[in-house]
Amino acid sequence: MTKEIEQRLERIHHELSGSERDLSSNSPRSLKYYVRDIQRRLSEWLIEHRHQQEKQRQDLLRAMVVIGVIGVLLAIVRSAASDMEWVREHTLAFRLWGVSLCLIFVGVLVERSSVVKSLWSFAVTKLLLSLILSGALFYARGRAAGHINGVFHVDASALPITLVLTTGLVLFKLLVPFVLSIAALILALHLLFISNWVKGKATGDVPWFSVLCSAVAGVILFFGWSWPSDQLSDTRIPEKVYLIAQALDFNQRHECANVDPERPVVFLGAGQESVLVAPYRLEDFDFATFFESRVIVPTAFVREKCEYKPLLPLKSLGSY
């Protein structure tokens, strides 16, 4: 019995005191060897995982810097007077691309913040945000339907594409103050950090990333501040509704014999027995006209019964 106990103790001692030398012998590997192997592989995995995270962080930072610099440069090119005709013709495109890239930069910056990450981990945050966005979407659709009815005096469902795009326009108008508030907060925080660095309260190299964040936030504030009171004001939205409908919902050709073929129409109802007739055909316009120019919205839209042209007889068709 004593010998059996000694053998067991010897095996336990072997398991706890074994090493890599177990590989050079025919004896089984010890428990200590397996534990050390697991610890070594786990350490290698952790180092590799940290390296991948750092690489992803650096790649994201480089991408943000590229997007922010390009956005600011496009905004500067749009604002600066240029002798190049091509630049003057595409100033609106420069502005929209510049602001869009700056918005992407700010969105990524906010999403990466610890505050947003912490709040997003709670289900109540997602629930409240979903309710707020749903309410804003329903409100925007109602306002869009009101604008369409105010311009054409028909149900908004008769112009489905205009209804969808106008809903997006109203929703964007609702989000602009929120975006401007975030941009102002980012600008204030980074200007404070830059001020502390200038005064010597913060150590390290020049805070170039804070300078970039301030410039990006400044671009958004500079161009977005006038949108709610100018391009997206309640007096300008009917103009955009009219342009959208003329370009996308009104039919430039129709088969109504009692309606002037030069006047665009929108067919009303499932049977398409009546039409909404525009007073005149609108000239082709570009996006710059839609976004910046003022347009006179006509009021002489009339609803008429469509008397379809008679179909040609089969013999007439065969003669062709």
Side-chain angles (χ1 to χ4, degrees):
M1 187 68 179
T2 304
K3 187 176 181 180
E4 183 180 354
I5 293 175
E6 289 178 355
Q7 291 177 351
R8 290 182 179 179
L9 291 176
E10 184 178 354
R11 284 197 296 266
I12 293 174
H13 179 268
H14 172 75
E15 293 291 338
L16 297 179
S17 61
S19 64
E20 289 81 353
R21 289 179 297 177
D22 295 336
L23 294 176
S24 60
S25 62
N26 295 328
S27 60
R29 298 178 185 179
S30 64
L31 177 63
K32 182 179 179 181
Y33 172 79
Y34 284 113
V35 172
R36 292 183 61 182
D37 185 63
I38 292 173
Q39 187 271 337
R40 178 179 59 82
R41 292 177 181 271
L42 181 59
S43 299
E44 293 176 353
W45 180 83
L46 290 175
I47 294 173
E48 181 66 20
H49 184 65
R50 284 195 295 266
H51 176 72
Q52 291 293 335
Q53 285 185 328
E54 181 64 21
K55 184 177 182 299
Q56 290 178 359
R57 192 184 71 84
Q58 292 296 331
D59 291 343
L60 178 60
L61 183 61
R62 293 191 191 96
M64 290 181 63
V65 170
V66 171
I67 290 175
V69 170
I70 294 177
V72 173
L73 289 178
L74 288 177
I76 293 175
V77 169
R78 188 264 175 231
S79 300
S82 177
D83 296 331
M84 296 178 60
E85 182 179 357
W86 182 83
V87 174
R88 291 197 302 268
E89 291 178 354
H90 296 84
T91 53
L92 179 61
F94 284 136
R95 176 169 66 174
L96 292 179
W97 275 110
V99 174
S100 298
L101 292 177
C102 290
L103 287 174
I104 294 174
F105 181 95
V106 170
V108 175
L109 188 67
V110 171
E111 187 176 351
R112 291 178 62 224
S113 64
S114 57
V115 176
V116 173
K117 288 183 178 179
S118 300
L119 292 177
W120 191 250
S121 62
F122 296 98
V124 64
T125 304
K126 300 175 183 178
L127 176 62
L128 290 177
L129 186 61
S130 300
L131 293 176
I132 292 172
L133 291 178
S134 299
L137 182 61
F138 281 115
Y139 174 80
R141 190 186 184 283
R143 290 285 295 174
H147 285 301
I148 294 174
N149 181 262
V151 173
F152 302 107
H153 307 290
V154 296
D155 188 83
S157 60
L159 298 95
I161 302 177
T162 305
L163 178 60
V164 172
L165 295 182
T166 307
T167 301
L169 195 64
V170 175
L171 186 61
F172 178 74
K173 179 182 178 180
L174 294 176
L175 295 177
V176 165
F178 176 71
V179 174
L180 294 180
S181 300
I182 293 178
L185 180 61
I186 291 174
L187 179 62
L189 292 176
H190 285 278
L191 286 180
L192 180 62
F193 183 79
I194 295 173
S195 175
N196 290 336
W197 181 85
V198 172
K199 294 178 181 178
K201 296 181 181 180
T203 59
D205 298 331
V206 180
W208 292 113
F209 190 73
S210 293
V211 174
L212 179 60
C213 291
S214 302
V216 169
V219 168
I220 295 176
L221 290 172
F222 178 78
F223 290 109
W225 191 261
S226 62
W227 286 351
S229 59
D230 188 9
Q231 286 90 349
L232 297 178
S233 64
D234 289 339
T235 57
R236 296 293 303 277
I237 288 183
E239 301 175 11
K240 302 186 187 325
V241 169
Y242 170 65
L243 292 176
I244 293 173
Q246 282 283 354
L248 301 177
D249 275 318
F250 272 85
N251 298 280
Q252 305 301 322
R253 298 177 180 273
H254 55 83
E255 294 295 325
C256 298
N258 59 320
V259 178
D260 187 350
E262 294 299 321
R263 298 176 66 179
V265 301
V266 171
F267 291 92
L268 305 176
Q272 298 186 349
E273 296 178 353
S274 59
V275 291
L276 178 69
V277 185
Y280 51 81
R281 187 190 300 272
L282 190 66
E283 296 181 0
D284 293 336
F285 60 92
D286 54 13
F287 190 74
T289 302
F290 171 80
F291 197 79
E292 292 185 329
S293 301
R294 289 188 173 273
V295 179
I296 298 177
V297 180
T299 57
F301 292 96
V302 294
R303 183 183 301 182
E304 295 185 8
K305 185 176 179 60
C306 180
E307 298 177 1
Y308 287 95
K309 299 176 182 179
L311 296 176
L312 294 175
L314 294 177
K315 291 183 179 180
S316 299
L317 293 175
S319 62
Y320 291 98

